[in-house]
Amino acid sequence: MIKEFREFALKGNFLELAVAFIMGAAFGAVVTSLVKDIIMPPIGLVLGKVDFSSLYINLSSTAYNSLADAQKAGAPTINYGLFINTLINFLIVALVMFFIIRAANRLKKTEPVGPTTKECPYCFSTIPLKATRCPNCTSDLAR
């Protein structure tokens, strides 16, 4: 059983998946920082010095000065600013993945597909390339 597991764990696909998962997590952290620290501050400035991460709707009857205060008190809140940040994260990741897959598809070499059919010289019907006898006119094509 251990030998079987070792063979499974050392297969190329499993290792590639593990590397992809780790790289994806690291990439996610980079994108989160990009959105939080570089993209959202200028957008907030253009929209009137808004910090999206602090936007929330307080569902309790008590007023709080900030989202952090409401969360400390355990008040129910709808954190739509954090949702906006997460949505922008997702859009950036999706865009980057689109470009990566597009580039990978361009690099793939497609082998030219040769003909798979030929024409019978007797009845002029289309037949498989490997045929030695025409299925339509039963002529011998072995010549």
Side-chain angles (χ1 to χ4, degrees):
M1 185 164 136
I2 292 175
K3 182 181 175 186
E4 233 178 316
F5 178 73
R6 185 171 4 122
E7 288 174 11
F8 167 75
L10 295 178
K11 280 186 181 177
N13 291 344
F14 183 77
L15 292 176
E16 290 170 5
L17 179 64
V19 169
F21 181 78
I22 292 167
M23 291 298 293
F27 182 71
V30 169
V31 170
T32 299
S33 176
L34 174 71
V35 169
K36 179 181 173 192
D37 302 326
I38 295 174
I39 294 176
M40 294 311 289
I43 291 174
L45 183 63
V46 168
L47 296 176
K49 297 184 179 181
V50 176
D51 178 15
F52 283 96
S53 63
S54 66
L55 297 178
Y56 71 101
I57 296 172
N58 184 2
L59 299 177
S60 70
S61 58
T62 308
Y64 297 99
N65 292 331
S66 68
L67 175 60
D69 292 342
Q71 287 177 335
K72 277 183 197 173
T77 58
I78 296 176
N79 306 324
Y80 66 91
L82 294 175
F83 176 74
I84 292 171
N85 284 347
T86 304
L87 185 64
I88 292 172
N89 278 348
F90 171 76
L91 293 175
I92 290 172
V93 170
L95 184 67
V96 169
M97 293 307 299
F98 168 74
F99 286 127
I100 288 172
I101 290 171
R102 184 174 165 203
N105 286 340
R106 286 185 180 175
L107 292 177
K108 272 187 197 173
K109 291 185 179 179
T110 56
E111 295 192 19
V113 178
T116 58
T117 60
K118 62 182 177 181
E119 191 175 82
C120 174
Y122 302 103
C123 69
F124 302 105
S125 61
T126 304
I127 58 173
L129 191 61
K130 294 183 179 181
T132 57
R133 184 173 295 274
C134 178
N136 300 313
C137 67
T138 67
S139 299
D140 186 19
L141 303 174
R143 305 190 233 159

